[in-house]
C-alpha cells in the first residue's frame, strides 16, 4: 500500500488551491466582467488572503491567461474527437453540435471564453496554438470548411473559408449565448435546446452547401 508523503500532501493541497482560485476567478469574471474583478475579490470569494493568490499567479493577467488556456484546452479536446469524421460537411455539422453542448455543459467557461472581452495580449504559448487545428477550434472549423470547398461542396457565395466559418460560428454562438442568458426567461416559449441547435445548424448548412454527389458517402445520422 502506497503512503502519501508530506511532500505529496503539500503538492496536492497546492494543486487544490490552484484549482479553487481558477474556479472562483472564472465565475467572478463571467458574472462581473474582467475589469471589475480584483485579486482581492477573488481571495475573499475563497476565504484566503491575496498573498495566497500571489503564491500561484504573478498578477491578474497571469491568472486570466492560465484560466483561458485551461478552458480552451478542454474545449479543443472535445472538438478534436471529430477529426476522424471523413465528410467535411458532416464534420462541420457535428462541430456545431459539440460547440453548443460545451456551452450548455460549461456555461461559466463559455461566458469567459466567448462572452467576456478582455484586452490581454497573446503570449508565446497562445501564438503557438493559433492555426493548429488540434489546439485551435477556429482553425479546425476553417480547415473543415476549406476541405468542403475543395470538394466542391460549398455554394458559390461561401467559397471564402473564413467567411463561411465565421458565419457558421455566429449561428451556433447565437444559439449558445441565448441558452445561457435567456433560457430561464418565460417571456418566450423556448423550444428544446437540441431542437434549436439542430434547426440552426441544418438551416445554415442547407443554405451554404451542396448535397454530396450520388454514391459518395452515407447519409449521416443526426447528433
Amino acid at each position: 500500500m502506497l503512503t502519501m508523503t508530506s511532500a505529496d500532501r503539500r503538492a496536492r493541497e497546492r494543486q487544490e488551491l490552484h484549482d479553487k482560485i481558477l474556479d472562483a476567478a472564472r465565475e467572478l469574471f463571467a458574472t462581473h466582467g474582467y475589469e471589475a474583478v480584483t485579486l482581492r475579490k477573488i481571495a475573499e470569494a475563497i476565504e484566503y488572503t491575496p498573498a495566497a493568490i500571489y503564491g500561484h499567479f504573478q498578477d491578474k493577467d497571469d491568472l486570466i491567461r492560465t484560466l483561458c488556456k485551461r478552458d480552451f484546452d478542454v474545449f479543443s479536446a472535445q472538438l478534436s474527437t471529430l477529426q476522424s469524421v471523413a465528410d467535411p460537411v458532416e464534420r462541420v455539422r457535428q462541430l456545431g453540435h459539440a460547440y453548443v453542448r460545451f456551452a450548455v455543459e460549461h456555461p461559466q467557461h463559455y461566458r469567459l471564453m466567448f462572452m467576456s472581452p478582455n484586452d490581454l495580449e497573446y503570449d508565446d504559448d497562445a501564438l503557438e496554438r493559433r492555426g493548429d487545428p488540434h489546439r485551435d477550434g477556429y482553425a479546425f472549423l476553417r480547415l473543415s470548411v476549406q476541405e468542403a470547398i475543395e470538394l466542391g461542396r460549398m455554394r458559390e457565395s461561401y467559397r471564402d473559408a473564413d467567411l463561411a466559418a465565421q458565419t457558421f460560428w455566429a449561428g451556433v454562438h447565437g444559439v449558445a449565448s441565448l441558452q445561457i442568458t435567456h433560457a430561464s426567461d418565460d417571456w418566450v416559449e423556448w423550444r428544446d435546446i437540441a431542437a434549436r441547435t439542430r434547426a440552426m445548424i441544418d438551416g445554415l448548412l442547407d443554405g451554404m452547401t451542396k448535397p454530396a454527389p450520388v454514391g459518395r458517402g452515407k447519409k449521416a445520422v443526426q447528433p
Side-chain angles (χ1 to χ4, degrees):
M1 182 176 178
L2 295 177
T3 302
M4 180 176 291
T5 67
S6 58
D8 292 335
R9 188 175 296 107
R10 286 195 299 272
R12 185 186 67 180
E13 291 172 350
R14 178 175 176 79
Q15 185 60 51
E16 288 174 350
L17 177 55
H18 186 88
D19 293 342
K20 191 173 184 178
I21 293 168
L22 290 176
D23 289 342
R26 180 189 296 109
E27 183 169 353
L28 288 170
F29 287 141
T31 302
H32 301 291
Y34 175 74
E35 293 297 334
V37 178
T38 63
L39 293 185
R40 181 173 295 279
K41 287 184 178 180
I42 297 170
E44 290 173 355
I46 61 173
E47 299 182 340
Y48 275 81
T49 65
I53 296 181
Y54 283 111
H56 291 259
F57 305 98
Q58 294 179 0
D59 51 29
K60 190 168 76 169
D61 285 357
D62 183 33
L63 190 156
I64 191 72
R65 284 195 181 95
T66 302
L67 183 56
C68 286
K69 288 173 188 175
R70 172 176 290 197
D71 289 352
F72 274 107
D73 280 345
V74 173
F75 177 65
S76 297
Q78 291 192 11
L79 297 188
S80 67
T81 63
L82 300 175
Q83 292 184 15
S84 61
V85 178
D87 179 356
V89 175
E90 177 59 21
R91 194 187 314 136
V92 170
R93 186 188 310 279
Q94 293 191 32
L95 279 169
H97 283 278
Y99 182 96
V100 177
R101 279 197 302 272
F102 176 86
V104 172
E105 292 171 3
H106 306 282
Q108 293 300 78
H109 296 61
Y110 189 86
R111 282 179 182 271
L112 180 62
M113 294 162 67
F114 299 111
M115 300 172 67
S116 302
N118 64 68
D119 298 325
L120 290 179
E121 295 183 1
Y122 296 122
D123 61 10
D124 290 342
D125 182 68
L127 292 173
E128 286 179 4
R129 298 163 183 251
R130 187 177 186 181
D132 179 352
H134 297 283
R135 298 191 295 170
D136 178 345
Y138 178 73
F140 186 26
L141 172 61
R142 187 192 183 284
L143 175 64
S144 300
V145 172
Q146 184 61 45
E147 289 180 12
I149 292 171
E150 292 170 0
L151 289 174
R153 296 290 305 282
M154 302 298 292
R155 297 187 188 279
E156 187 68 33
S157 300
Y158 296 100
R159 292 183 182 172
D160 176 331
D162 284 298
L163 174 62
Q166 290 162 25
T167 300
F168 184 80
W169 183 9
V172 292
H173 172 71
V175 174
S177 59
L178 280 175
Q179 175 65 18
I180 290 172
T181 60
H182 287 77
S184 61
D185 184 351
D186 60 8
W187 185 268
V188 175
E189 294 184 9
W190 294 104
R191 296 299 183 255
D192 179 73
I193 180 60
R196 285 183 278 128
T197 302
R198 184 166 54 251
M200 173 60 76
I201 291 173
D202 290 352
L204 282 170
L205 290 181
D206 285 350
M208 296 170 71
T209 66
K210 301 176 183 179
V214 176
R216 289 185 57 184
K218 297 180 180 179
K219 183 176 178 59
V221 177
Q222 293 293 340

